[in-house]
Amino acid sequence: MEKLKKQIPHIGRRRVPEKLAAGEVACQDCGMDPMCSILEYAEEGSHVPEGVLLRRRQVARGETIFLKDDPFRSVFAVKSGSFKTYIPKVSGHDQVVGFHLIGELIGMEGLSSQRYPYTARALQDSSVCELRMESLAETGYLLEELQRGIISMLSAEVAFNHQLITALIHQSADQRLAGFLLNLTKRLYSRGMRQVEFQIGMSRSDIGSYLGLASETVSRVLTRFQKNDLIQLRHKRLRLLDPDGLREIAEH
Amino acid sequence: MEKLKKQIPHIGRRRVPEKLAAGEVACQDCGMDPMCSILEYAEEGSHVPEGVLLRRRQVARGETIFLKDDPFRSVFAVKSGSFKTYIPKVSGHDQVVGFHLIGELIGMEGLSSQRYPYTARALQDSSVCELRMESLAETGYLLEELQRGIISMLSAEVAFNHQLITALIHQSADQRLAGFLLNLTKRLYSRGMRQVEFQIGMSRSDIGSYLGLASETVSRVLTRFQKNDLIQLRHKRLRLLDPDGLREIAEH
DNA sequence: CGTCTTATTGAATTGTCTCAACATGCGTGG
DNA sequence: CCACGCATGTTGAGACAATTCAATAAGACG
């Protein structure tokens, strides 16, 4: 990603100054930025058709932006709010496969099969930017840089999943949750969200599904963390009081 | 991958007929094939430098082809034998993150960070082909088709990992092992290995690490499968006697 | 042929799940 | 704006699958 910027250094500077709504990620902190940059740069050559990049669509809490097995059209970036991606199950509980925070991308994994492998639903009122890969492909317009960005992102995703798998396998409920909380705040921090307190959109059962725990276990562990002054958790507002303590637990 | 072949239909036909050593995967069944094909095709234009594609290096059992955090150089394809990839842990057991059978690729995930995220070790005497991405990149030679192949492979990998995560979370030891055995044979079958009996290179603890089970549990379940005439397992030779029975268990 | 590693089997322990009751929050409509 | 009802979260007790520890058996390899 950073490499990409170095290759096209004039990008970013020439970007139109943006007005940030409260709680929105800045473009330079957004995961879509490398691709947006390339597209905007390319626009001068006017090869990019209209409607390839749709900016800041509002998505209401509970709304889906695509369903599992929908034909792959677009990659989305979360501008504000948060999403969960999950595989719907007939037998009761869905399987949550990911949380997508501010500045992160959704839908990339549809590239191979040309179908989305999961449903994406807003956990709270959110907004997204949409990159219509379909239109891009149709015009035969798939810049090498763009592809490189995609490759970079996908291989990062794979690495992250390896970590997740390792975590799920060997770690106790305490370790998983400590790691999860640290991961959340780390991700938000890297996107420029530097508050001490965060709104976590996901429910206990979402977290449980994602981490392979019963929602009751999630609840129990979180209250215990709270009793030990590791975190503060009121309703859906989270504050890490003792990140080092959590790290201690996560790494054992 | 298939799409790739359609786009360049003359590829494959023009390939030099190869002599297959016993137990080797045929080039047309190998995961590297789309990339090899492109490279060979391109050779006529003589843009590809020497030494980008190294064919059939022998790797002895127990030997590593790269270590975790080594600088990323190449992607490898397994021509014969099998490999495990794992994250070494100071505290005793390593975490196995993947098995790589005949015709499958290793190392792709190093692309993003430019370092290998795991160590790759031969489970038995094996041979590999090596694609030196480094040299490719240096010459500025990164075909769009090649990139598309990589993207396709990576997003398939992500999808597979989602499945794996789901499996690890909700499934019992029996289900995981049944699924694992079916997956192994399915992969071998798709690479042209059609024997009823296979040499599985991995130990019980490798399997346990990979599936998140104690090696004792793996052992117990496998012997139970054997008692129920689902499989035959002598030493390291495996035969599926009742795939439907296994499917029944895996899908519950 | 003996040694070292890997696999099997047994018995006791434990972390997490399930089931269940209760509490709290949230959105809706009156 | 409040009251109601449903969804979500908390807490407790019992059940159970898989782990751990341990002892033995069976291969692998020089």
Side-chain angles (χ1 to χ4, degrees), chain B residues 103-118:
Chain B
E104 298 181 334
L105 300 182
I106 315 179
M108 220 64 175
E109 295 82 357
L111 264 169
S112 118
S113 61
Q114 289 299 306
R115 292 193 174 272
Y116 292 109
Y118 44 62

Side-chain angles (χ1 to χ4, degrees), chain B residues 167-194:
Chain B
L168 289 174
I169 285 182
H170 286 298
Q171 299 194 154
S172 68
D174 284 32
Q175 291 177 304
R176 290 181 212 184
L177 270 158
F180 176 71
L181 295 176
L182 288 168
N183 179 258
L184 274 192
T185 52
K186 184 179 145 203
R187 280 153 67 187
L188 287 168
Y189 189 85
S190 76
R191 301 297 183 180
M193 305 283 119
R194 309 274 154 101

Side-chain angles (χ1 to χ4, degrees), chain B residues 39-54:
Chain B
L39 287 173
E40 288 187 356
Y41 177 56
E43 266 167 20
E44 291 178 357
S46 77
H47 286 304
V48 185
E50 279 299 307
V52 162
L53 189 59
L54 308 176

Side-chain angles (χ1 to χ4, degrees), chain A residues 102-120:
Chain A
I102 261 186
E104 298 181 332
L105 300 182
I106 314 178
M108 219 64 173
E109 295 84 357
L111 264 168
S112 119
S113 61
Q114 289 298 307
R115 292 192 175 273
Y116 293 109
Y118 44 63
T119 297

Side-chain angles (χ1 to χ4, degrees), chain A residues 90-111:
Chain A
V90 276
S91 59
H93 325 232
D94 304 330
Q95 172 59 45
V96 176
V97 295
F99 295 114
H100 304 258
L101 311 181
I102 261 186
E104 298 181 332
L105 300 182
I106 314 178
M108 219 64 173
E109 295 84 357
L111 264 168

Side-chain angles (χ1 to χ4, degrees), chain B residues 61 172-173 212-214 216-217 220 235:
Chain B
R61 176 195 148 96
S172 68
L213 299 169
E216 294 94 325
T217 307
R220 274 186 254 271
H235 318 146

